[in-house]
Amino acid sequence: MVLCGRCEADLAAAPRVIEPGPPGVDLAVAASPFDGVARSVVHGLKYARRLALADVAADAMLRALPDHERAAVVVPVPAGSWRWRWRGFDPAEEIAIAIAVATGMPMSSCLRRAGGRRQVGRPRSERLSGPPAVRATAKTPREALLVDDVWTTGATLSACARALRKGGCRRVVALTLARTV
């Protein structure tokens, strides 16, 4: 068991967030606000390298996702290459893999960050005015389920959606574990 029973129940009971999404995203879904257990799961995965929490995040995210949105290709939001080297893994990719395995949905790591500043710790105005540079490095799917751990301002999700749409994607649904308020 990765989480205690109480934490599992708290995460399952968290109010999901469903909104139209940031520019370029047709629908954005978060399994929970970014607090309590969801915050602990994100921090445990990203900073404590507890990779088993990717499965916990995926389960919560799939419970929040409307059933009719499961026909897309799973696309992880890419980490910066220096971030990947530092961690040795990409949290969004680990969650995306868990979602693909749990559902049988195909997955495509078709996006790459092409530089840009780290988003964590930046003020909202800086995040929105200087989003990360993202580009498609492989064929983009017609419909994408864009997966990330946290949805803050939506700048990163929008940058990814732009790259997907530039490659021919027609529908982008963002799915995250948590949404900052």
mmCIF file of all heavy atoms in Angstrom, residues 121-163:
data_model
loop_
_atom_site.group_PDB
_atom_site.id
_atom_site.type_symbol
_atom_site.label_atom_id
_atom_site.label_comp_id
_atom_site.label_asym_id
_atom_site.label_seq_id
_atom_site.Cartn_x
_atom_site.Cartn_y
_atom_site.Cartn_z
ATOM 1 N N GLY A 121 8.060 28.507 -8.743
ATOM 2 C CA GLY A 121 8.545 29.653 -7.971
ATOM 3 C C GLY A 121 8.429 30.987 -8.679
ATOM 4 O O GLY A 121 8.665 32.025 -8.062
ATOM 5 N N ARG A 122 8.060 30.992 -9.946
ATOM 6 C CA ARG A 122 7.920 32.254 -10.676
ATOM 7 C C ARG A 122 6.551 32.858 -10.405
ATOM 8 O O ARG A 122 5.554 32.142 -10.311
ATOM 9 C CB ARG A 122 8.076 32.021 -12.177
ATOM 10 C CG ARG A 122 9.484 31.600 -12.557
ATOM 11 C CD ARG A 122 9.605 31.242 -14.014
ATOM 12 N NE ARG A 122 9.363 32.400 -14.857
ATOM 13 C CZ ARG A 122 9.086 32.318 -16.159
ATOM 14 N NH1 ARG A 122 9.022 31.149 -16.746
ATOM 15 N NH2 ARG A 122 8.882 33.407 -16.863
ATOM 16 N N PRO A 123 6.468 34.178 -10.333
ATOM 17 C CA PRO A 123 5.149 34.821 -10.163
ATOM 18 C C PRO A 123 4.246 34.541 -11.362
ATOM 19 O O PRO A 123 4.725 34.297 -12.474
ATOM 20 C CB PRO A 123 5.478 36.312 -10.080
ATOM 21 C CG PRO A 123 6.929 36.399 -9.799
ATOM 22 C CD PRO A 123 7.557 35.140 -10.326
ATOM 23 N N ARG A 124 2.958 34.605 -11.128
ATOM 24 C CA ARG A 124 1.967 34.330 -12.160
ATOM 25 C C ARG A 124 2.223 35.148 -13.428
ATOM 26 O O ARG A 124 2.185 34.611 -14.532
ATOM 27 C CB ARG A 124 0.567 34.629 -11.603
ATOM 28 C CG ARG A 124 -0.540 34.444 -12.600
ATOM 29 C CD ARG A 124 -1.917 34.721 -11.974
ATOM 30 N NE ARG A 124 -2.952 34.569 -12.947
ATOM 31 C CZ ARG A 124 -3.456 33.416 -13.345
ATOM 32 N NH1 ARG A 124 -3.017 32.293 -12.825
ATOM 33 N NH2 ARG A 124 -4.402 33.369 -14.256
ATOM 34 N N SER A 125 2.489 36.442 -13.273
ATOM 35 C CA SER A 125 2.693 37.304 -14.444
ATOM 36 C C SER A 125 3.892 36.845 -15.271
ATOM 37 O O SER A 125 3.848 36.863 -16.503
ATOM 38 C CB SER A 125 2.863 38.764 -14.023
ATOM 39 O OG SER A 125 4.000 38.896 -13.182
ATOM 40 N N GLU A 126 4.962 36.408 -14.624
ATOM 41 C CA GLU A 126 6.140 35.917 -15.350
ATOM 42 C C GLU A 126 5.851 34.602 -16.050
ATOM 43 O O GLU A 126 6.329 34.364 -17.159
ATOM 44 C CB GLU A 126 7.329 35.746 -14.406
ATOM 45 C CG GLU A 126 8.007 37.028 -14.023
ATOM 46 C CD GLU A 126 9.243 36.779 -13.171
ATOM 47 O OE1 GLU A 126 9.842 35.684 -13.263
ATOM 48 O OE2 GLU A 126 9.593 37.688 -12.409
ATOM 49 N N ARG A 127 5.093 33.741 -15.391
ATOM 50 C CA ARG A 127 4.750 32.455 -16.002
ATOM 51 C C ARG A 127 3.943 32.676 -17.280
ATOM 52 O O ARG A 127 4.174 32.022 -18.293
ATOM 53 C CB ARG A 127 3.912 31.602 -15.047
ATOM 54 C CG ARG A 127 4.687 30.993 -13.924
ATOM 55 C CD ARG A 127 3.710 30.265 -12.996
ATOM 56 N NE ARG A 127 4.403 29.628 -11.906
ATOM 57 C CZ ARG A 127 4.337 28.331 -11.648
ATOM 58 N NH1 ARG A 127 3.601 27.541 -12.380
ATOM 59 N NH2 ARG A 127 4.994 27.825 -10.638
ATOM 60 N N LEU A 128 2.997 33.596 -17.205
ATOM 61 C CA LEU A 128 2.137 33.837 -18.362
ATOM 62 C C LEU A 128 2.857 34.574 -19.486
ATOM 63 O O LEU A 128 2.615 34.307 -20.661
ATOM 64 C CB LEU A 128 0.886 34.619 -17.929
ATOM 65 C CG LEU A 128 -0.073 33.839 -17.032
ATOM 66 C CD1 LEU A 128 -1.158 34.748 -16.487
ATOM 67 C CD2 LEU A 128 -0.685 32.658 -17.773
ATOM 68 N N SER A 129 3.756 35.485 -19.132
ATOM 69 C CA SER A 129 4.450 36.257 -20.170
ATOM 70 C C SER A 129 5.656 35.507 -20.753
ATOM 71 O O SER A 129 6.116 35.838 -21.839
ATOM 72 C CB SER A 129 4.894 37.615 -19.637
ATOM 73 O OG SER A 129 5.873 37.449 -18.634
ATOM 74 N N GLY A 130 6.164 34.521 -20.036
ATOM 75 C CA GLY A 130 7.320 33.770 -20.518
ATOM 76 C C GLY A 130 7.136 32.280 -20.365
ATOM 77 O O GLY A 130 7.870 31.629 -19.618
ATOM 78 N N PRO A 131 6.156 31.701 -21.084
ATOM 79 C CA PRO A 131 5.931 30.256 -20.958
ATOM 80 C C PRO A 131 7.099 29.474 -21.547
ATOM 81 O O PRO A 131 7.894 30.021 -22.315
ATOM 82 C CB PRO A 131 4.656 30.022 -21.762
ATOM 83 C CG PRO A 131 4.654 31.112 -22.774
ATOM 84 C CD PRO A 131 5.286 32.298 -22.089
ATOM 85 N N PRO A 132 7.205 28.204 -21.204
ATOM 86 C CA PRO A 132 8.289 27.398 -21.769
ATOM 87 C C PRO A 132 8.110 27.225 -23.277
ATOM 88 O O PRO A 132 6.998 27.251 -23.789
ATOM 89 C CB PRO A 132 8.154 26.059 -21.044
ATOM 90 C CG PRO A 132 6.753 26.006 -20.571
ATOM 91 C CD PRO A 132 6.343 27.425 -20.325
ATOM 92 N N ALA A 133 9.225 27.077 -23.964
ATOM 93 C CA ALA A 133 9.195 26.790 -25.398
ATOM 94 C C ALA A 133 9.022 25.284 -25.559
ATOM 95 O O ALA A 133 9.822 24.509 -25.036
ATOM 96 C CB ALA A 133 10.482 27.264 -26.051
ATOM 97 N N VAL A 134 7.968 24.897 -26.242
ATOM 98 C CA VAL A 134 7.675 23.471 -26.451
ATOM 99 C C VAL A 134 7.498 23.247 -27.947
ATOM 100 O O VAL A 134 6.884 24.057 -28.634
ATOM 101 C CB VAL A 134 6.392 23.058 -25.693
ATOM 102 C CG1 VAL A 134 6.045 21.604 -25.951
ATOM 103 C CG2 VAL A 134 6.530 23.326 -24.205
ATOM 104 N N ARG A 135 8.025 22.129 -28.431
ATOM 105 C CA ARG A 135 7.878 21.792 -29.847
ATOM 106 C C ARG A 135 7.569 20.305 -29.978
ATOM 107 O O ARG A 135 7.902 19.508 -29.104
ATOM 108 C CB ARG A 135 9.131 22.155 -30.625
ATOM 109 C CG ARG A 135 10.365 21.433 -30.178
ATOM 110 C CD ARG A 135 11.613 21.917 -30.920
ATOM 111 N NE ARG A 135 12.808 21.338 -30.350
ATOM 112 C CZ ARG A 135 13.300 20.152 -30.666
ATOM 113 N NH1 ARG A 135 12.693 19.402 -31.546
ATOM 114 N NH2 ARG A 135 14.395 19.699 -30.094
ATOM 115 N N ALA A 136 6.918 19.980 -31.074
ATOM 116 C CA ALA A 136 6.645 18.573 -31.379
ATOM 117 C C ALA A 136 7.878 17.992 -32.059
ATOM 118 O O ALA A 136 8.457 18.611 -32.946
ATOM 119 C CB ALA A 136 5.435 18.453 -32.292
ATOM 120 N N THR A 137 8.279 16.811 -31.614
ATOM 121 C CA THR A 137 9.434 16.136 -32.208
ATOM 122 C C THR A 137 9.035 14.853 -32.922
ATOM 123 O O THR A 137 9.888 14.127 -33.422
ATOM 124 C CB THR A 137 10.482 15.804 -31.127
ATOM 125 O OG1 THR A 137 9.852 14.999 -30.125
ATOM 126 C CG2 THR A 137 11.046 17.070 -30.513
ATOM 127 N N ALA A 138 7.757 14.581 -32.943
ATOM 128 C CA ALA A 138 7.215 13.405 -33.625
ATOM 129 C C ALA A 138 5.795 13.745 -34.060
ATOM 130 O O ALA A 138 5.250 14.791 -33.680
ATOM 131 C CB ALA A 138 7.211 12.193 -32.686
ATOM 132 N N LYS A 139 5.192 12.875 -34.827
ATOM 133 C CA LYS A 139 3.817 13.088 -35.283
ATOM 134 C C LYS A 139 2.908 13.271 -34.078
ATOM 135 O O LYS A 139 2.985 12.513 -33.119
ATOM 136 C CB LYS A 139 3.368 11.892 -36.117
ATOM 137 C CG LYS A 139 1.999 12.053 -36.742
ATOM 138 C CD LYS A 139 1.693 10.869 -37.642
ATOM 139 C CE LYS A 139 0.382 10.927 -38.349
ATOM 140 N NZ LYS A 139 -0.656 11.760 -37.903
ATOM 141 N N THR A 140 2.063 14.294 -34.136
ATOM 142 C CA THR A 140 1.130 14.541 -33.028
ATOM 143 C C THR A 140 -0.174 13.792 -33.282
ATOM 144 O O THR A 140 -0.583 13.610 -34.429
ATOM 145 C CB THR A 140 0.847 16.047 -32.868
ATOM 146 O OG1 THR A 140 0.255 16.542 -34.063
ATOM 147 C CG2 THR A 140 2.112 16.820 -32.542
ATOM 148 N N PRO A 141 -0.834 13.364 -32.208
ATOM 149 C CA PRO A 141 -2.101 12.653 -32.384
ATOM 150 C C PRO A 141 -3.227 13.605 -32.780
ATOM 151 O O PRO A 141 -3.126 14.817 -32.586
ATOM 152 C CB PRO A 141 -2.359 12.051 -30.998
ATOM 153 C CG PRO A 141 -1.649 12.957 -30.061
ATOM 154 C CD PRO A 141 -0.446 13.466 -30.793
ATOM 155 N N ARG A 142 -4.277 13.065 -33.314
ATOM 156 C CA ARG A 142 -5.457 13.866 -33.680
ATOM 157 C C ARG A 142 -6.138 14.393 -32.419
ATOM 158 O O ARG A 142 -6.618 15.519 -32.391
ATOM 159 C CB ARG A 142 -6.413 13.012 -34.504
ATOM 160 C CG ARG A 142 -7.612 13.742 -35.011
ATOM 161 C CD ARG A 142 -8.401 12.867 -35.995
ATOM 162 N NE ARG A 142 -9.678 13.426 -36.316
ATOM 163 C CZ ARG A 142 -9.871 14.384 -37.209
ATOM 164 N NH1 ARG A 142 -8.851 14.883 -37.861
ATOM 165 N NH2 ARG A 142 -11.081 14.846 -37.453
ATOM 166 N N GLU A 143 -6.201 13.566 -31.388
ATOM 167 C CA GLU A 143 -6.768 13.953 -30.092
ATOM 168 C C GLU A 143 -5.761 13.597 -29.021
ATOM 169 O O GLU A 143 -5.260 12.482 -28.994
ATOM 170 C CB GLU A 143 -8.086 13.229 -29.826
ATOM 171 C CG GLU A 143 -9.200 13.623 -30.768
ATOM 172 C CD GLU A 143 -10.532 12.994 -30.377
ATOM 173 O OE1 GLU A 143 -10.686 12.565 -29.219
ATOM 174 O OE2 GLU A 143 -11.415 12.938 -31.251
ATOM 175 N N ALA A 144 -5.475 14.561 -28.130
ATOM 176 C CA ALA A 144 -4.466 14.340 -27.097
ATOM 177 C C ALA A 144 -5.048 14.510 -25.700
ATOM 178 O O ALA A 144 -5.830 15.432 -25.444
ATOM 179 C CB ALA A 144 -3.306 15.318 -27.286
ATOM 180 N N LEU A 145 -4.639 13.605 -24.816
ATOM 181 C CA LEU A 145 -4.891 13.749 -23.390
ATOM 182 C C LEU A 145 -3.550 14.191 -22.802
ATOM 183 O O LEU A 145 -2.633 13.384 -22.621
ATOM 184 C CB LEU A 145 -5.353 12.423 -22.768
ATOM 185 C CG LEU A 145 -5.670 12.472 -21.274
ATOM 186 C CD1 LEU A 145 -6.843 13.418 -21.002
ATOM 187 C CD2 LEU A 145 -5.993 11.080 -20.756
ATOM 188 N N LEU A 146 -3.417 15.477 -22.568
ATOM 189 C CA LEU A 146 -2.175 16.091 -22.123
ATOM 190 C C LEU A 146 -2.072 15.926 -20.607
ATOM 191 O O LEU A 146 -2.920 16.421 -19.871
ATOM 192 C CB LEU A 146 -2.187 17.566 -22.520
ATOM 193 C CG LEU A 146 -0.948 18.382 -22.277
ATOM 194 C CD1 LEU A 146 0.261 17.814 -23.026
ATOM 195 C CD2 LEU A 146 -1.210 19.831 -22.697
ATOM 196 N N VAL A 147 -1.032 15.242 -20.135
ATOM 197 C CA VAL A 147 -0.917 14.859 -18.718
ATOM 198 C C VAL A 147 0.209 15.614 -18.026
ATOM 199 O O VAL A 147 1.337 15.655 -18.509
ATOM 200 C CB VAL A 147 -0.673 13.335 -18.606
ATOM 201 C CG1 VAL A 147 -0.387 12.928 -17.169
ATOM 202 C CG2 VAL A 147 -1.882 12.571 -19.148
ATOM 203 N N ASP A 148 -0.118 16.195 -16.860
ATOM 204 C CA ASP A 148 0.876 16.850 -16.016
ATOM 205 C C ASP A 148 0.484 16.634 -14.562
ATOM 206 O O ASP A 148 -0.631 16.204 -14.270
ATOM 207 C CB ASP A 148 0.969 18.342 -16.341
ATOM 208 C CG ASP A 148 2.316 18.947 -15.984
ATOM 209 O OD1 ASP A 148 3.182 18.233 -15.442
ATOM 210 O OD2 ASP A 148 2.508 20.148 -16.248
ATOM 211 N N ASP A 149 1.399 16.941 -13.652
ATOM 212 C CA ASP A 149 1.085 16.758 -12.234
ATOM 213 C C ASP A 149 0.262 17.914 -11.666
ATOM 214 O O ASP A 149 -0.718 17.695 -10.984
ATOM 215 C CB ASP A 149 2.361 16.524 -11.405
ATOM 216 C CG ASP A 149 3.415 17.601 -11.600
ATOM 217 O OD1 ASP A 149 3.215 18.531 -12.410
ATOM 218 O OD2 ASP A 149 4.462 17.505 -10.943
ATOM 219 N N VAL A 150 0.657 19.161 -11.965
ATOM 220 C CA VAL A 150 -0.032 20.321 -11.402
ATOM 221 C C VAL A 150 -0.344 21.334 -12.493
ATOM 222 O O VAL A 150 0.477 21.610 -13.356
ATOM 223 C CB VAL A 150 0.836 21.011 -10.317
ATOM 224 C CG1 VAL A 150 0.125 22.225 -9.734
ATOM 225 C CG2 VAL A 150 1.182 20.036 -9.207
ATOM 226 N N TRP A 151 -1.546 21.896 -12.412
ATOM 227 C CA TRP A 151 -1.992 22.959 -13.302
ATOM 228 C C TRP A 151 -1.998 24.223 -12.459
ATOM 229 O O TRP A 151 -2.770 24.351 -11.516
ATOM 230 C CB TRP A 151 -3.349 22.584 -13.841
ATOM 231 C CG TRP A 151 -4.199 23.641 -14.457
ATOM 232 C CD1 TRP A 151 -3.811 24.833 -14.982
ATOM 233 C CD2 TRP A 151 -5.611 23.572 -14.634
ATOM 234 N NE1 TRP A 151 -4.895 25.502 -15.476
ATOM 235 C CE2 TRP A 151 -6.013 24.750 -15.275
ATOM 236 C CE3 TRP A 151 -6.572 22.618 -14.306
ATOM 237 C CZ2 TRP A 151 -7.342 25.010 -15.590
ATOM 238 C CZ3 TRP A 151 -7.882 22.876 -14.621
ATOM 239 C CH2 TRP A 151 -8.267 24.052 -15.263
ATOM 240 N N THR A 152 -1.096 25.147 -12.777
ATOM 241 C CA THR A 152 -0.993 26.392 -12.009
ATOM 242 C C THR A 152 -1.634 27.524 -12.805
ATOM 243 O O THR A 152 -2.822 27.769 -12.685
ATOM 244 C CB THR A 152 0.477 26.690 -11.640
ATOM 245 O OG1 THR A 152 1.007 25.538 -10.952
ATOM 246 C CG2 THR A 152 0.592 27.883 -10.708
ATOM 247 N N THR A 153 -0.881 28.183 -13.656
ATOM 248 C CA THR A 153 -1.438 29.274 -14.464
ATOM 249 C C THR A 153 -1.998 28.785 -15.790
ATOM 250 O O THR A 153 -2.781 29.479 -16.429
ATOM 251 C CB THR A 153 -0.365 30.330 -14.783
ATOM 252 O OG1 THR A 153 0.658 29.714 -15.562
ATOM 253 C CG2 THR A 153 0.210 30.930 -13.518
ATOM 254 N N GLY A 154 -1.555 27.634 -16.234
ATOM 255 C CA GLY A 154 -1.955 27.114 -17.533
ATOM 256 C C GLY A 154 -0.966 27.467 -18.638
ATOM 257 O O GLY A 154 -1.143 27.063 -19.783
ATOM 258 N N ALA A 155 0.097 28.218 -18.312
ATOM 259 C CA ALA A 155 1.071 28.630 -19.328
ATOM 260 C C ALA A 155 1.749 27.425 -19.979
ATOM 261 O O ALA A 155 1.907 27.385 -21.210
ATOM 262 C CB ALA A 155 2.110 29.559 -18.712
ATOM 263 N N THR A 156 2.145 26.450 -19.188
ATOM 264 C CA THR A 156 2.804 25.264 -19.741
ATOM 265 C C THR A 156 1.815 24.427 -20.549
ATOM 266 O O THR A 156 2.147 23.947 -21.641
ATOM 267 C CB THR A 156 3.440 24.422 -18.619
ATOM 268 O OG1 THR A 156 4.400 25.230 -17.933
ATOM 269 C CG2 THR A 156 4.120 23.179 -19.168
ATOM 270 N N LEU A 157 0.610 24.258 -20.034
ATOM 271 C CA LEU A 157 -0.406 23.506 -20.773
ATOM 272 C C LEU A 157 -0.701 24.179 -22.115
ATOM 273 O O LEU A 157 -0.822 23.506 -23.143
ATOM 274 C CB LEU A 157 -1.688 23.376 -19.942
ATOM 275 C CG LEU A 157 -1.579 22.562 -18.652
ATOM 276 C CD1 LEU A 157 -2.881 22.632 -17.873
ATOM 277 C CD2 LEU A 157 -1.193 21.130 -18.939
ATOM 278 N N SER A 158 -0.796 25.510 -22.115
ATOM 279 C CA SER A 158 -1.038 26.247 -23.368
ATOM 280 C C SER A 158 0.117 26.086 -24.348
ATOM 281 O O SER A 158 -0.104 25.911 -25.554
ATOM 282 C CB SER A 158 -1.267 27.737 -23.089
ATOM 283 O OG SER A 158 -2.531 27.939 -22.523
ATOM 284 N N ALA A 159 1.344 26.160 -23.850
ATOM 285 C CA ALA A 159 2.509 25.992 -24.722
ATOM 286 C C ALA A 159 2.503 24.604 -25.365
ATOM 287 O O ALA A 159 2.797 24.458 -26.562
ATOM 288 C CB ALA A 159 3.801 26.212 -23.932
ATOM 289 N N CYS A 160 2.154 23.601 -24.597
ATOM 290 C CA CYS A 160 2.069 22.235 -25.132
ATOM 291 C C CYS A 160 0.930 22.122 -26.135
ATOM 292 O O CYS A 160 1.091 21.494 -27.199
ATOM 293 C CB CYS A 160 1.875 21.238 -23.995
ATOM 294 S SG CYS A 160 3.312 21.052 -22.925
ATOM 295 N N ALA A 161 -0.214 22.710 -25.817
ATOM 296 C CA ALA A 161 -1.366 22.663 -26.722
ATOM 297 C C ALA A 161 -1.031 23.334 -28.057
ATOM 298 O O ALA A 161 -1.406 22.828 -29.122
ATOM 299 C CB ALA A 161 -2.583 23.315 -26.078
ATOM 300 N N ARG A 162 -0.323 24.459 -28.007
ATOM 301 C CA ARG A 162 0.080 25.140 -29.246
ATOM 302 C C ARG A 162 0.953 24.227 -30.114
ATOM 303 O O ARG A 162 0.762 24.137 -31.326
ATOM 304 C CB ARG A 162 0.839 26.434 -28.930
ATOM 305 C CG ARG A 162 -0.035 27.632 -28.716
ATOM 306 C CD ARG A 162 0.751 28.931 -28.706
ATOM 307 N NE ARG A 162 1.817 28.986 -27.715
ATOM 308 C CZ ARG A 162 1.643 29.284 -26.435
ATOM 309 N NH1 ARG A 162 0.421 29.531 -25.967
ATOM 310 N NH2 ARG A 162 2.664 29.318 -25.614
ATOM 311 N N ALA A 163 1.904 23.563 -29.481
ATOM 312 C CA ALA A 163 2.788 22.656 -30.233
ATOM 313 C C ALA A 163 1.997 21.486 -30.817
ATOM 314 O O ALA A 163 2.236 21.084 -31.965
ATOM 315 C CB ALA A 163 3.910 22.152 -29.333
#
